[in-house]
Amino acid sequence: MPAPASLSIAAVADQVGGVELPDPVALAPRLTDALAGVVDPRRRRGVRHGLVVVLTAAVCAVAAGARSFVAVAEWVADLPVEVAAVLGTDVRCPSESTIRRILGQVDADRFDAAIGAFVQRLCAATEPVGRRRVLAVDGKTVRGSRGPAGPARHLFAVIDQQTRVVLGQRQANAVAGKGSEITAFAPLLDTLHGLDLAGVVITADALHTQREHVEYLAGRGAHWVLTVKGNQPRLRRQLAGLPWRGVEPDHRSVETAHGRREIRTLRVVTIAAGIEFPHARQAVQLIRKTRPANTRSGRRARWRTETVYAITDLGPHQARPEELTGWIRGHWQIENGLHWVRDVTFAEDLSTVRTGAAPQVMAALRNLAISLHRLAGATNIAAALRHHSRDALRPLQLLKII
């Protein structure tokens, strides 16, 4: 149990220049309420640390840059006594084995749903002004979780394209792989209880260009922009056969970045008939030409051309061509803003955690840390982690515990 309020508040206030802290019993009420929905997998007898205390400490440690169970335990063990009292770990801090055992035994999907609901409530208060909310869905395989007991875990997540905040995550089917994302699509979006999907645009890669998916989205009042590739050969042939040559480009952009020059040309046509896909109203052709930039080889190199087709249920008066271009490009925010950060900044693929629910729970903690830092205005997650690692109070402030 936390130390008496009078002791912890007075001591920590001295450290932070007189800032008063709330009663530790009410620490992080919104986060505590969310984590209270996670069922404690342990027997009641002999429990020294409450589940919410351990989970809250783990969230704070990961927000300060902890990448492993050992790092989480070390962060908790190094807390000043007064800060540990606020978290409820001052009497006897949880050991690495305790943290590992608890995070490996909790219901991972329920934990993901709990913290997803917490983030959704934070985002619901910041509805986008003058634009649609656009969500991207995609999956990632946690490669280090592969072991003798089975394949690597495949996790399916949804993020907000503009804020790059993770709104939800689920493990795809027990058989890991891209194909298992199809059956996880509706259950993942069903976890978005804190956000109304009416009018929201969902973007997804070609794997999710499925009739069942668009019927589900129509039932929830959501719109969609889906890429069309070889997994839908007939639909792709129908889109390629549209009269694109007679259509003037609706949007054109030229960009030089990452060592290459890129020209994007977008054409949009309204679908009248002949496209066998439910609710489809517009088809998009995006031609991307790239070559190396500002080098001798670049001047000699030929342009590399790629043609991408997409389809949407939004009519011509509901989405401008430049908006469609931004949404199609913005879909890759889930790769660059989430998967890349977890792999590079948190070294997720190097982690060999593979027991029980631990791989998904650790990924969920990383998602939550990334989301909280972005909601706080961070643009560089690595820098934000270093900033919070230098002061034990900062992760607690991030979580509104103090």
Side-chain angles (χ1 to χ4, degrees):
M1 294 292 293
S6 59
L7 297 179
S8 59
I9 293 175
V12 179
D14 290 340
Q15 291 191 10
V16 296
V19 176
E20 290 190 359
L21 301 180
D23 186 343
V25 175
L27 65 88
R30 288 188 295 176
L31 179 60
T32 303
D33 290 344
L35 295 179
V38 182
V39 177
D40 194 333
R42 301 168 294 174
R43 296 180 180 179
R44 296 182 62 182
R45 183 176 180 180
V47 171
R48 291 190 178 93
H49 308 284
L51 180 65
V52 173
V53 171
V54 175
L55 294 179
T56 304
V59 171
C60 291
V62 174
R67 296 179 174 183
S68 64
F69 295 127
V70 173
V72 172
E74 290 174 345
W75 184 87
V76 176
D78 287 342
L79 288 175
V81 174
E82 296 81 5
V83 180
V86 175
L87 282 179
T89 62
D90 56 322
V91 177
R92 182 175 180 180
C93 67
S95 65
E96 184 270 343
S97 61
T98 297
I99 295 170
R100 178 187 297 272
R101 185 170 59 255
I102 291 175
L103 298 189
Q105 293 177 350
V106 298
D107 184 324
D109 279 337
R110 192 163 185 169
F111 178 71
D112 253 322
I115 64 174
F118 172 64
V119 175
Q120 291 162 33
R121 288 198 299 271
L122 295 179
C123 293
T126 58
E127 287 290 338
V129 178
R131 69 167 186 87
R132 292 182 182 272
R133 188 185 293 276
V134 185
L135 308 182
V137 296
D138 197 19
K140 178 185 184 297
T141 299
V142 185
R143 302 188 187 282
S145 63
R146 182 182 294 108
R153 313 297 171 85
H154 192 76
L155 305 178
F156 192 40
V158 53
I159 73 168
D160 185 295
Q161 277 198 17
Q162 184 182 44
T163 61
R164 297 187 294 174
V165 167
V166 186
L167 300 173
Q169 176 180 267
R170 281 184 67 89
Q171 181 176 340
N173 286 353
V175 179
K178 291 292 286 183
S180 60
E181 289 183 17
I182 295 176
T183 55
F185 183 86
L188 172 65
L189 295 181
D190 282 340
T191 65
L192 302 183
H193 302 296
L195 295 175
D196 184 4
L197 286 188
V200 172
V201 178
I202 306 295
T203 65
D205 60 23
L207 179 68
H208 297 287
T209 307
Q210 307 286 337
R211 288 163 175 77
E212 296 81 3
H213 288 1
V214 300
E215 294 291 359
Y216 166 82
L217 293 175
R220 295 199 60 180
H223 299 287
W224 43 268
V225 180
L226 304 173
T227 306
V228 179
K229 292 185 178 179
N231 64 318
Q232 294 279 358
R234 184 173 182 178
L235 178 59
R236 193 180 190 284
R237 287 195 301 269
Q238 291 174 345
L239 294 180
L242 292 174
W244 298 108
R245 292 184 179 275
V247 178
E248 290 294 323
D250 293 283
H251 184 74
R252 186 176 185 273
S253 63
V254 180
E255 181 178 334
T256 301
H258 307 293
R260 65 176 181 269
R261 184 173 178 80
E262 184 171 282
I263 301 175
R264 290 173 174 262
T265 305
L266 179 132
R267 292 177 172 85
V268 181
V269 298
T270 302
I271 296 174
I275 302 298
E276 300 175 4
F277 200 77
H279 308 292
R281 298 188 63 187
Q282 290 191 97
V284 180
Q285 182 196 62
L286 182 62
I287 299 177
R288 182 172 58 193
K289 300 173 66 176
T290 58
R291 75 175 185 185
N294 299 326
T295 64
R296 289 186 177 181
S297 62
R299 287 193 291 271
R300 293 195 305 268
R302 294 182 178 180
W303 288 97
R304 180 176 178 272
T305 303
E306 178 186 11
T307 302
V308 176
Y309 294 102
I311 197 167
T312 179
D313 70 326
L314 290 164
H317 300 296
Q318 295 174 296
R320 300 187 303 274
E322 57 269 24
E323 287 181 314
L324 291 172
T325 302
W327 297 341
I328 293 172
R329 294 193 67 183
H331 177 72
W332 297 107
Q333 292 289 354
I334 200 167
E335 291 285 349
N336 302 329
L338 177 62
H339 299 166
W340 188 90
V341 173
R342 278 176 26 195
D343 281 343
V344 176
T345 305
F346 283 101
E348 182 171 89
D349 277 353
L350 296 179
S351 172
T352 57
V353 172
R354 60 175 67 96
T355 304
Q360 182 177 349
V361 171
M362 287 299 291
L365 291 173
R366 295 172 187 128
N367 289 343
L368 179 57
I370 292 168
S371 300
L372 291 173
H373 283 306
R374 290 208 167 113
L375 288 172
T379 57
N380 185 314
I381 299 300
L385 296 178
R386 292 193 299 269
H387 174 77
H388 284 73
S389 70
R390 294 194 295 268
D391 188 334
L393 287 174
R394 289 172 181 168
L396 279 68
Q397 294 166 345
L398 181 71
L399 290 168
K400 311 300 182 185
I401 294 176
I402 62 173

